[in-house]
Amino acid sequence: MIPPRFNKVLLTALATALFPLALNAAETDGFKSLFNGKDLTGWSGNPDLWSVQEGVLVGQTTLEKPTKGNTFLVWSGGELKDFELHASVKLEGGNSGIQYRSKDLGNWTMAGYQCDIRTPVFDQKDPKNCLGKIYSEKEGRGQMALGGEKVVFDKDGKKNVVGQVNEVEKLTKVLEQGEWKDVVIIAHGNHLTHKVNGEVVCELTDEDEAKRALSGHLGLQIHAGNPMKVSFKNIQIKELK
């Protein structure tokens, strides 16, 4: 029999050996982490509004430090084409979003596809207007795909709802689960899919060659308006071939 004190030593050594493996778990299966949990390395944004707090990436406005317009924390790793993105998001008031395949307009502003992050998680008057919908930031196409919708934007730029990917009643329950929302964005060719808490929220096929984007930049949004706070963690991405 191994004395208890040696069992403790062995368990400590084993935990120490496995800890680096746990840290690298996010980078298995082709995924890599975009946030180091320590600072804003690899990202560019207004330092008065973005920070790292207890290993979490935080964007926050206050009465003393507002933003006049929507502002973004832009990933500095260049343009992305086809990918699968995972992130955990917590929103405390206000509105946020994850920009992707977007234009970097400078001065921390962006335009393009957005996975909308909002509170409340759905509109009481129109539950399809919910967290995870596909929105067009600054490009004039508005609500591109709402909750439950399968959409095709045709070559003339017209929105066509061609099917249903989920029941709105089910989404309203799932989207309310937990403070932290697990968000997945899949962009492959001209086909976009958003998932929240394991459920498909919407799908979009963009055949409008004049306005669609097959590559572009990634960013995280702080929305103008009342004071708000948004937190991100577990930001991982896998490029799709």
Side-chain angles (χ1 to χ4, degrees):
M1 177 182 288
I2 300 175
R5 66 178 182 275
F6 289 111
N7 280 335
K8 185 176 181 180
V9 171
L10 287 173
L11 288 173
T12 301
L14 182 61
T16 302
L18 291 178
F19 184 65
L21 297 179
L23 289 178
N24 291 329
E27 301 193 8
T28 61
D29 298 325
F31 281 90
K32 67 176 182 179
S33 178
L34 301 186
F35 170 51
N36 64 17
K38 299 176 182 179
D39 54 38
L40 296 177
T41 298
W43 297 84
S44 174
N46 186 337
D48 289 334
L49 305 180
W50 293 98
S51 63
V52 176
Q53 302 175 18
E54 298 181 349
V56 174
L57 200 162
V58 176
Q60 185 171 15
T61 58
T62 62
L63 291 175
E64 295 75 24
K65 292 183 178 181
T67 178
K68 294 182 179 179
N70 296 349
T71 186
F72 296 85
L73 184 69
V74 184
W75 183 58
S76 306
E79 296 193 12
L80 293 168
K81 188 177 180 182
D82 293 347
F83 64 87
E84 180 173 335
L85 174 77
H86 293 201
S88 297
V89 185
K90 180 171 70 171
L91 182 61
E92 300 170 61
N95 187 298
S96 181
I98 300 174
Q99 291 292 136
Y100 62 96
R101 285 187 177 177
S102 291
K103 297 182 180 71
D104 182 352
L105 303 178
N107 197 32
W108 306 314
T109 58
M110 303 185 79
Y113 299 122
Q114 180 187 116
C115 178
D116 190 32
I117 310 296
R118 53 164 291 153
T119 54
V121 293
F122 64 92
D123 189 327
Q124 294 286 350
K125 296 181 180 179
D126 181 11
K128 292 192 299 181
N129 182 14
C130 65
L131 186 154
K133 73 182 182 223
I134 301 176
Y135 179 71
S136 173
E137 175 81 9
K138 291 185 180 296
E139 295 212 313
R141 296 199 283 176
Q143 317 278 22
M144 298 190 72
L146 298 172
E149 290 184 344
K150 183 176 184 179
V151 172
V152 174
F153 265 73
D154 65 24
K155 294 181 179 179
D156 297 321
K158 180 182 177 182
K159 176 180 175 178
N160 301 279
V161 180
V162 298
Q164 181 175 324
V165 296
N166 215 325
E167 297 177 357
V168 176
E169 294 79 8
K170 182 178 182 181
L171 287 176
T172 58
K173 294 179 181 179
V174 171
L175 295 180
E176 289 184 313
Q177 294 175 1
E179 284 188 329
W180 286 93
K181 314 298 181 185
D182 293 323
V183 176
V184 174
I185 300 169
I186 302 172
H188 194 231
N190 66 339
H191 187 73
L192 312 174
T193 303
H194 290 182
K195 301 179 183 180
V196 178
N197 288 348
E199 292 291 333
V200 176
V201 176
C202 55
E203 291 185 11
L204 168 67
T205 300
D206 195 350
E207 297 180 351
D208 184 356
E209 295 183 5
K211 292 186 177 181
R212 74 185 183 191
L214 299 179
S215 64
H217 294 276
L218 175 70
L220 310 174
Q221 183 192 63
I222 293 176
H223 203 284
N226 295 328
M228 59 158 287
K229 180 179 179 181
V230 63
S231 303
F232 295 89
K233 63 180 181 179
N234 304 326
I235 308 171
Q236 308 166 25
I237 199 163
K238 176 171 67 175
E239 295 190 52
L240 303 177
K241 304 299 182 182

